[in-house]
Amino acid sequence: MLDRVYEIFHEKMKDKGQGMGIGSALTSEFLMLSFLLIGTILVLRTANSTILGFGALIILAGVLFTVPTVFKVEKENTDSINLSSFYVALTLALLLIIFLGGI
Amino acid sequence: MLNNSTLIPLMVVLPLIMAILVNFLHQKDKSVKFISIVSLIVFVFIPVVTLYGVHLFSGHLRTGSFPEVSKILIPEVYMGIVYSYGAVQKILMVVLTILTGFSVLAVINKKMISGVYMAMIFISLAASSAIILADDIFNFFVFTEILVVAQAALVIAVQEAKSFKAAFKYMIFGTISGASILLGIALLLGSYGLLNITDLSHAIQAGGALTPIGLVAVALLTLGWLYESGLFPFHIIKSNIYENARPEISALLQVQSKFVLVAMALILFRVFSGYALLKSVILGFAIFTVVIGSVMALQQVELRKLLSFVAVSQAGLVAVGFGLGTPFGIAAGIFHAINDVLSMAILFFIASFVYDKFKTTKLDELGEGLQVVPLVGFVMLLATLAISGVPPFNSYQSEWRLIQASAQAGVPELGILVILLSVATFVAIIKAFYMIFMKPGSKVEVNKEVRGNLTKAIIVILILACLLIGLFPNMVYDPIYNFVVSLGV
Amino acid sequence: MFDYILLFAVALSALMAIIQENLYKSIIILTFESFSLAAIFHFLLATDVAAVQAILGAALLPGLFIVALYKTTQGRDE
Amino acid sequence: MEPFQVGSFLTAGVLIVTGLWALLMMDNILKKIIGANLIGDGVNLVLITIGYRPGGFIPEVMHHFHATATPSSYSHLLEFGEFASNASYSLPFALVLTNIVIGASTLSVMLALAVVLYNKYHTLSVHKMFEGED
């Protein structure tokens, strides 16, 4: 799969088209994957509760199956207000659960 | 009359008075221009002259408590609102006023002087300086609300459909975050009866572990902080604000957002200092913002959107410093805020120059800029090095300290992520540099009469400031470190 | 007993204001809600806040909303 | 905690949750603004209910406190203790007054934005406005 990465990205980024865009998209893909790997290692190493550990592993496995994650990230971060409201509501609930639950 | 203690509130009161004055003189551009230049000089002058100190608005020193009336745990209580002016506040105020001066000069130079526009800039300056100085949590809340309205007004002034949408989203979520901050304050007021931050931190430390009410207050205040600093769920809204405002104004907005991030994080750490979960939650959101911001920045094809995502991800890096929790980490975070604000301001001023010179910021259409404006191209190259942490410049000093602080705090993985982030930032902006200045075949005609001497002067001054801090970091870093250690966070 | 009725009135009219389809009706319910909130402040021994809330709830709020509604769809969505 | 205080805390909770739900989920711009207004009312109610003292009286500083109250010495305020322990807590009043004013100003700016957005998009539905991106 690794040798065809450039073609995958080129075919995915037909609309943007220029060579520079694909280079930067590859960098962002590399950054995203390294963040996921390092974040999971960090959480596994420091989290004292097993819930966080398994949660991190599940997230890592889930994301790795959709490897060119960058285009999904870009689709998730559009300007629409409904998407932002969903994430704000999610964060409010997450914060209250973390602080009150004391994970 | 003008002893040191009255100079401190002057930093907030004077911009407000100037805003009201300039607002009245809306039609008379000549006098608006004169007044704003004079008041700028005064604004930059006051923080430099003021010595460290505390200003008590109620005029009384700490008073004895009333045992039978109040069951407050700590012996002494501040009466009324208190403004404290320490080392960090001084540096933040000096950088804030200088950058406000630059953006106001840029606005005046563009013949866009309207009294109301200048009034909004002065109100946002007054609000952000009050947020930096306030030692009273409700006074802090009031000025965050004023800042939200003033920043939204600055974005609305662009009169485009996209800017109206961005301002509307910004205010809608501003209501949520303002309500959650006020609810957090109400819960703290209910359980401790105090609004002063120093007393509140003593009371909470004296009161032992946080009650569930205190935990809800922490969660709500953290949500408010995420909004004010443009971290994870609110990063899109904040980058829309940077993108849709005029580039020289978004240079000012990103300064205010990062300094509000620092001020509120300091408040959170002083009030809930003994609370480890807060640090890891802040670290989690900060790292997520850093990565999402730079991943999005790498995808953009428009210069202003690219720069706004870089600004958001650099704000996340400042929050990473706070997330580490150790004094070394917090000092490195604040130091990075100052460095990053300077280098981002250069890039935004360059974006405003490109927008005026070539009438577009779409990277595909731009090109061959180096023949037209070699100086701006050269300074943008230096700014790209500055922002992605290349040695002679200032961000290197703070990112190197961030990496060391994360290693000392026991999370060396963060150091790797900080390095990866600086590489990604470099790729994003060097791509923009290539497409504006070096790429052959530009499909855009050059606007001849735009000379931009003022913008060129501003960006040269700022890049020299970055170089100066880069070569002598300790003149800025040591006072910050001593202040953070003295906070006992 | 009257104050508990006020509490239910505020909670109910808040829900009604949101659920109501016709915008004009929801604004009127909103005015009623913020006015009865001012009455609750009176029962909570906060008379000066009750006065300010009453003025805002009765005068400013409906005024602004009606003007905004008039300027937009007059209640119909094109 | 007196039952009335608990009741008003619950009402404030209903107000905040309804406002939050309207703000996040409703598709009409004016409904979102109504939600924002409700959240502000709910938080004000929480603030006032915190300061409520059952059976107390309105904290209106009587004349004789004023005549002798000089900031320098605090001894004469001790009979003030009897007043302070019975009147309801007056600090939240200042907070709520400021918050009402902030809510009103934010409300008016958002309504102006809604009108301007309507003139550009001829619809009040947020979905049509924000989904029709470039």
Side-chain angles (χ1 to χ4, degrees):
Chain A
M1 196 291 251
L2 278 184
D3 54 356
R4 289 192 300 101
V5 168
Y6 186 82
E7 286 77 21
I8 294 170
F9 267 76
H10 188 71
E11 162 259 321
K12 274 257 190 331
M13 293 179 65
K14 280 240 189 349
D15 48 5
K16 297 206 182 72
Q18 4 78 337
M20 291 284 281
I22 296 168
S24 58
L26 280 170
T27 329
S28 59
E29 179 63 33
F30 175 68
L31 179 72
M32 194 69 191
L33 287 182
S34 54
F35 159 69
L36 287 170
L37 288 172
I38 291 172
T40 324
I41 294 165
L42 184 69
V43 167
L44 288 179
R45 193 169 64 82
T46 51
N48 37 36
S49 80
T50 56
I51 310 161
L52 268 182
F54 283 120
L57 277 178
I58 290 159
I59 291 169
L60 178 67
V63 170
L64 280 187
F65 279 111
T66 62
V67 168
T69 57
V70 170
F71 306 110
K72 209 172 305 310
V73 163
E74 196 186 355
K75 201 154 46 59
E76 281 305 307
N77 288 300
T78 57
D79 286 355
S80 87
I81 201 169
N82 299 337
L83 214 57
S84 309
S85 321
F86 165 71
Y87 279 119
V88 166
L90 186 80
T91 321
L92 185 59
L94 207 69
L95 275 175
L96 284 171
I97 290 167
I98 287 174
F99 277 110
L100 282 178
I103 290 171
Chain B
M1 196 279 288
L2 261 180
N3 59 27
N4 182 44
S5 168
T6 57
L7 274 177
I8 294 173
L10 215 54
M11 291 185 231
V12 177
V13 166
L14 205 55
L16 282 176
I17 295 171
M18 283 305 151
I20 295 163
L21 187 65
V22 163
N23 201 5
F24 276 133
L25 299 168
H26 179 48
Q27 296 322 1
K28 295 178 257 317
D29 292 352
K30 188 96 26 248
S31 47
V32 162
K33 184 171 167 180
F34 174 72
I35 287 175
S36 25
I37 290 174
V38 164
S39 48
L40 275 183
I41 295 160
V42 174
F43 294 158
V44 176
F45 179 70
I46 292 177
V48 174
V49 166
T50 328
L51 308 170
Y52 300 153
V54 171
H55 177 76
L56 308 163
F57 277 85
S58 66
H60 318 312
L61 270 176
R62 294 176 72 106
T63 65
S65 76
F66 300 92
E68 74 277 13
V69 165
S70 61
K71 41 193 183 337
I72 296 164
L73 313 160
I74 51 168
E76 283 184 339
V77 171
Y78 272 113
M79 305 288 277
I81 298 175
V82 173
Y83 274 8
S84 68
Y85 189 72
V88 167
Q89 280 84 4
K90 187 181 185 102
I91 295 169
L92 293 185
M93 278 308 294
V94 168
V95 173
L96 175 69
T97 39
I98 288 172
L99 283 172
T100 314
F102 281 151
S103 51
V104 165
L105 286 178
V107 164
I108 288 173
N109 185 26
K110 280 203 179 38
K111 314 281 176 304
M112 276 173 29
I113 321 152
S114 92
V116 176
Y117 199 69
M118 211 55 76
M120 282 303 134
I121 295 174
F122 285 157
I123 287 177
S124 65
L125 169 67
S128 40
S129 47
I131 288 168
I132 291 168
L133 297 173
D135 199 25
D136 177 277
I137 202 160
F138 182 72
N139 197 265
F140 158 82
F141 161 73
V142 168
F143 279 105
T144 41
E145 288 297 308
I146 295 172
L147 188 63
V148 165
V149 175
Q151 287 182 337
L154 284 172
V155 174
I156 291 167
V158 173
Q159 305 284 1
E160 278 159 15
K162 257 160 29 96
S163 66
F164 294 136
K165 281 196 283 187
F168 183 73
K169 272 193 298 186
Y170 191 60
M171 295 202 74
I172 281 287
F173 292 112
T175 336
I176 296 184
S177 102
S180 60
I181 293 177
L182 188 60
L183 210 52
I185 292 171
L187 295 179
L188 287 179
L189 181 68
S191 41
Y192 295 98
L194 292 163
L195 282 180
N196 189 295
I197 294 164
T198 329
D199 300 344
L200 207 57
S201 51
H202 296 328
I204 288 178
Q205 271 145 20
L210 277 172
T211 60
I213 293 180
L215 294 178
V216 171
V218 172
L220 292 170
L221 285 170
T222 316
L223 182 80
W225 178 66
L226 290 180
Y227 170 79
E228 293 301 330
S229 48
L231 291 181
F232 163 64
F234 304 104
H235 58 296
I236 292 294
I237 296 144
K238 189 64 91 170
S239 77
N240 277 346
I241 284 287
Y242 295 153
E243 176 205 342
N244 287 307
R246 286 205 51 76
E248 63 272 6
I249 291 297
S250 49
L252 176 64
L253 297 180
Q254 58 106 9
V255 175
Q256 290 159 359
S257 304
K258 286 192 179 88
F259 286 175
V260 166
L261 182 151
V262 168
M264 188 160 182
L266 280 178
I267 288 175
L268 281 179
F269 273 63
R270 284 168 60 198
V271 170
F272 306 105
S273 56
Y275 196 53
L277 193 55
L278 176 66
K279 297 190 179 73
S280 40
V281 164
I282 287 180
L283 197 58
F285 279 105
I287 279 288
F288 203 59
T289 317
V290 162
V291 174
I292 295 283
S294 54
V295 161
M296 287 299 288
L298 286 160
Q299 307 273 322
Q300 301 307 330
V301 286
E302 208 255 344
L303 177 64
R304 283 158 51 173
K305 207 163 166 61
L306 187 141
L307 289 183
S308 56
F309 275 114
V310 169
V312 162
S313 85
Q314 293 291 332
L317 202 56
V318 174
V320 162
F322 278 100
L324 297 173
T326 62
F328 187 24
I330 293 172
I334 299 173
F335 189 34
H336 186 66
I338 294 157
N339 299 339
D340 177 66
V341 146
L342 288 170
S343 32
M344 270 319 290
I346 302 173
L347 290 171
F348 273 116
F349 278 120
I350 290 172
S352 110
F353 177 75
V354 163
Y355 186 66
D356 294 339
K357 191 78 178 172
F358 304 110
K359 275 187 292 307
T360 169
T361 47
K362 285 201 172 37
L363 294 175
D364 311 340
E365 292 162 11
L366 285 163
E368 290 160 0
L370 213 51
Q371 291 83 6
V372 177
V373 264
L375 172 69
V376 174
F378 179 64
V379 172
M380 179 161 182
L381 193 62
L382 295 183
T384 324
L385 301 178
I387 195 153
S388 43
V390 172
F393 290 101
N394 50 6
S395 289
Y396 163 74
Q397 300 291 347
S398 52
E399 272 172 22
W400 165 68
R401 282 177 171 79
L402 271 174
I403 295 164
Q404 216 182 14
S406 59
Q408 272 176 12
V411 272
E413 293 90 344
L414 290 192
I416 306 170
L417 273 179
V418 167
I419 296 168
L420 284 176
L421 169 85
S422 57
V423 168
T425 318
F426 181 77
V427 167
I429 304 181
I430 211 70
K431 175 186 108 172
F433 169 78
Y434 169 74
M435 288 175 124
I436 297 172
F437 291 104
M438 317 238 287
K439 172 162 70 90
S442 96
K443 301 187 268 296
V444 84
E445 83 283 353
V446 179
N447 182 343
K448 276 291 174 295
E449 75 277 358
V450 166
R451 305 212 27 80
N453 293 336
L454 181 79
T455 327
K456 286 178 188 163
I458 291 174
I459 52 181
V460 166
I461 294 168
L462 283 175
I463 200 74
L464 290 179
C466 288
L467 198 62
L468 191 70
I469 298 177
L471 297 175
F472 309 103
N474 286 328
M475 70 180 179
V476 174
Y477 179 71
D478 288 347
I480 296 176
Y481 187 71
N482 303 337
F483 178 84
V484 169
V485 167
S486 71
L487 277 185
V489 160
Chain C
M1 186 52 200
F2 181 61
D3 40 19
Y4 290 98
I5 296 170
L6 271 178
L7 287 182
F8 285 122
V10 163
L12 218 63
S13 52
L15 280 169
M16 288 296 295
I18 298 297
I19 293 165
Q20 178 56 254
E21 278 309 313
N22 180 345
L23 283 170
Y24 276 110
K25 288 204 184 78
S26 66
I27 290 168
I28 291 162
I29 297 170
L30 196 69
T31 320
F32 168 72
E33 181 262 342
S34 68
F35 206 78
S36 47
L37 191 67
I40 289 179
F41 285 158
H42 183 73
F43 279 102
L44 288 169
L45 303 174
T47 45
D48 46 2
V49 174
V52 171
Q53 170 74 13
I55 294 165
L56 274 173
L60 183 76
L61 200 71
L64 285 176
F65 267 107
I66 300 282
V67 164
L69 202 59
Y70 184 75
K71 278 208 153 31
T72 50
T73 64
Q74 284 91 21
R76 300 175 320 286
D77 208 355
E78 270 119 29
Chain D
M1 282 248 279
E2 216 235 21
F4 182 68
Q5 216 170 3
V6 173
S8 55
F9 273 132
L10 288 177
T11 325
V14 167
L15 277 172
I16 290 172
V17 168
T18 326
L20 203 60
W21 184 80
L23 196 92
L24 293 178
M25 299 304 165
M26 292 294 273
D27 183 37
N28 188 327
I29 272 193
L30 289 183
K31 284 288 171 62
K32 280 186 187 284
I33 297 173
I34 289 175
N37 190 359
L38 285 180
I39 292 182
D41 287 355
V43 173
N44 290 345
L45 191 54
V46 165
L47 266 167
I48 291 290
T49 334
I50 282 176
Y52 174 60
R53 187 188 301 281
F57 48 85
I58 297 161
E60 169 209 354
V61 179
M62 268 74 78
H63 174 67
H64 73 275
F65 291 139
H66 259 302
T68 53
T70 54
S72 57
S73 67
Y74 275 84
S75 57
H76 61 278
L77 280 183
L78 282 188
E79 337 95 21
F80 182 81
E82 183 268 341
F83 166 83
S85 62
N86 278 340
S88 68
Y89 191 26
S90 63
L91 181 58
F93 296 177
L95 311 192
V96 171
L97 282 174
T98 325
N99 195 33
I100 290 176
V101 167
I102 288 172
S105 64
T106 324
L107 172 89
S108 47
V109 173
M110 274 199 272
L111 281 175
L113 269 173
V115 168
V116 165
L117 280 172
Y118 177 79
N119 293 339
K120 282 249 182 317
Y121 289 94
H122 300 298
T123 168
L124 277 179
S125 118
V126 165
H127 182 71
K128 290 203 195 84
M129 268 186 224
F130 284 89
E131 260 47 3
E133 285 305 5
D134 35 40

